[in-house]
Amino acid sequence: MLADFEQSNIDLKHLANYGYIIKAIKGDELFTDIKIDSNYLSKLESQLTLFAESQKITKPLIQRRNGIIKHLRKILTNKFTNSKLSSFGSFESGLSLSNGDIDLCLEFDGESPKKVLNKIARMLNQDSMKNVKLITNAKVPIVKFIDSQSMIPVDISVNNSLSVYNTELLRRYCDVDPRVKPFILAIKYWARNRGVCEPTSGTFSSYAWTLIAINALQTMQDPVIPNLCTRDGTNVVEIDGKKYDVSMQDISKSKFVSKNNETVAELIMSFFSNLATNWPWNDFVISVREGSLITRKAKNWVHQKPKISNAIQDKKIMRLGKHSLPVEDPFDEIHDLSIVLDAEGVFEIRDEVLRAYSMLNESKNWETICEIKYPELVPESPQLDLFGDLRNMSESEIKTDLENLYSQLNIVEKSVSVRESERNDAIRMSKALRRNAELAKEQSVLSSELRPRRSQIDDAQSKRDSSNNNYIPVHLIEDELQRAYHNLTKQSETGIELSFEKEKALFSWFFELQSMHVHAKITREYHREFLRLVNKQEKSIEHIKDIKQEIVDVKSLGNFTEFDDLAKRLLIELNPLKKERRKLRREVGRLEAWLRKQKHTPSKKHKNRKSRTSRRKNDTNVKEIKNKVISGDSFSLQDLDLLLKNGGITSVNNQSSNNKQSNNQKTKKNKPTLQPHRGKRGKSSKNT
Ligand code: UTP
């Protein structure tokens, strides 16, 4: 059965890149006349067994991955207080290819995930990680990068807690039947090598292919695995205010027994045969949650416009409508993993499915079927032997290299330090000039206020004086008013009433006092305003005097913006230099570690036997050599040898930064270690 988009009238000129689709549309017999050759199936089974063997995650790879996680945990939890870094994805589910990535989730509540990812990307860049990319338009935003030492790819997301549960589900599926893991790995390997496992390029994610593969095993005529999602509410988690039923069956308690006895090769054959001839997405949604295919109608996931066939013919259509090839997330039932697909991605997937199916029918071997299509999309193999390139080099060659590295490092150290001090000066100057500018502005504002305020003062003064030249304080008038009122209203003790004349005089005094009271109050207000203005004026004058004293005479040096620009320019120059310094330090550390490893450090017993004088002499020589390194003077191979025996370049850096290091610390630093250090990568990022 053709895919629905192949059935519509597409102009074949748009399908030039999809040869197998064209063949299918034309009814090629490769897809109709199937011969299953049992000989070929048993050969394919051996090839798949060898393939699964080749994908085994070795102990050194686990150690390397754990080392990266440990390093990242240290720098991230240091930067984001109270955060937690956990690992999920194929590394945890056991479904990792040998060059698979590490998926990490940082749980942190302090800031928005996008902000946090931005900071992480900056830190990783400073930490000299490779290809650091911030992908913020995905459902779960991530930072992608490659560990520069091991070339292992890493994805970091923030608060992506649901993934921990779906990882556990995948792990449990692997435990159900020994065929599950090699089967899924084979599908993932094929998808990745054929370029149809890259969500950023419009094809399915590795996780989506895993679900498609699991669903295929659930829906075979005789299912290989059961449905482990119980959805019985025994484990409901709340993430970002949303509840998810993540209940899943305990395998040990499962009564499921598969009647399917097919080999992995037969399962692979069925998988591609089904996808090629029974394109499920015409009518169905792939649902691991239901353990079956559910109809688009039942899920209410009909394919919205723009449709695939229209989008492939019209280059202006950039996005597909929702639910193009729907794959339901097992725990987040509204998440359709086909959201990432574009029209070309869908055609590529379909074309590759048909290719794989036709190649199986032509009895092609597994590696040919999985031939790498886009090398740039396939991660490099992890580099586990950090000393691989040094193993065939002689000690003196390595020492010469090391000597070159020391002098390169010296030059870079000096350039960094010069630029750093220039930058600090520029920042200081900018600050001083900025302060000057602020002060000058303040002074001009204050000065411009003096004259108008002087006229306000004169005005308040003349109003006060003209209102009542013989200013009597308000409280005295109020006392007198009270007294007059009392005299007018008191009961006579002698029984003799006030004479009319006296009463008249008292009333007239009372009214006069009242009028005076009104005047005195107005005068008081003018007086207060006058005092307030005088006070303010005095303060402004004082302040202007202070400002004049504070302003530094640096005007001739220019504007603060020039120094800001200089500081920015220096920072731009500093970043690559610091990166270079970190790279050189790391390489120096690696070479030193290798030489230490080769030298076989003398036992403590032997060391202790050394005479005190010879040790003291040795110490003096080492000090001299370290001084030579710090000052950039040349030194001999013997010097280098002695330096290596006494802590290497790291101890030089320590000496230059802190000459007064305690003896205790020195002994600790000089202890030989056989592992190269990851160094202090990432520490500086704390200041960003
Ligand atoms: P990947 O697509 O990287 O899958 O998603 P993977 O299984 O780790 O495969 P490789 O080894 O990289 O090729 C990593 C994890 O991210 C979560 C899943 O937990 C998945 O295991 N994830 C991914 C989601 O929850 N939803 C998605 O849409 C994609």
Side-chain angles (χ1 to χ4, degrees), residues 217-226 256-260:
L217 296 177
Q218 289 175 321
T219 53
M220 293 204 165
Q221 206 168 10
D222 282 327
V224 180
I225 50 176
F256 176 83
V257 182
S258 174
K259 286 190 214 126
N260 187 315

Side-chain angles (χ1 to χ4, degrees), residues 146-272:
I146 296 174
D147 177 67
S148 45
Q149 285 179 359
S150 63
M151 302 311 289
I152 294 177
V154 185
D155 288 358
I156 301 182
S157 49
V158 175
N159 297 340
N160 176 20
S161 318
L162 196 59
S163 300
V164 176
Y165 297 97
N166 57 41
T167 296
E168 172 59 15
L169 180 72
L170 302 188
R171 198 190 60 72
R172 288 193 192 189
Y173 273 118
C174 288
D175 286 348
V176 176
D177 189 291
R179 290 168 294 177
V180 176
K181 188 168 163 179
F183 175 77
I184 297 177
L185 286 183
I187 304 294
K188 279 175 63 167
Y189 182 73
W190 160 80
R192 209 195 47 200
N193 283 9
R194 296 307 301 163
V196 288
C197 183
E198 189 51 69
T200 52
S201 310
T203 54
F204 277 130
S205 65
S206 194
Y207 174 58
W209 280 113
T210 306
L211 293 176
I212 295 168
I214 289 178
N215 188 255
L217 296 177
Q218 289 175 321
T219 53
M220 293 204 165
Q221 206 168 10
D222 282 327
V224 180
I225 50 176
N227 178 8
L228 295 182
C229 298
T230 56
R231 290 185 289 147
D232 55 9
T234 48
N235 192 7
V236 177
V237 292
E238 191 170 325
I239 298 164
D240 277 342
K242 249 183 97 182
K243 287 193 172 143
Y244 300 91
D245 186 345
V246 295
S247 320
M248 50 189 115
Q249 215 178 94
D250 185 346
I251 319 285
S252 59
K253 289 182 190 147
S254 167
K255 292 191 182 84
F256 176 83
V257 182
S258 174
K259 286 190 214 126
N260 187 315
N261 292 319
E262 289 180 316
T263 61
V264 176
E266 285 166 330
L267 294 174
I268 290 283
M269 191 78 198
S270 308
F271 175 80
F272 284 110

Side-chain angles (χ1 to χ4, degrees), residues 605-620:
K605 224 171 156 190
H606 178 77
K607 253 189 183 172
N608 291 344
R609 251 191 260 133
K610 267 190 179 175
S611 76
R612 250 186 224 168
T613 17
S614 89
R615 224 182 297 157
R616 216 174 297 131
K617 201 171 151 201
N618 201 21
D619 281 354
T620 325

Side-chain angles (χ1 to χ4, degrees), residues 87 107 118 168 244 324 341 366 368 428 436 454 556 622:
S87 119
E107 281 163 56
N118 246 310
E168 172 59 15
Y244 300 91
S324 50
L341 302 181
W366 182 241
T368 311
R428 259 198 304 276
N436 260 16
R454 169 53 44 209
S556 55
V622 173

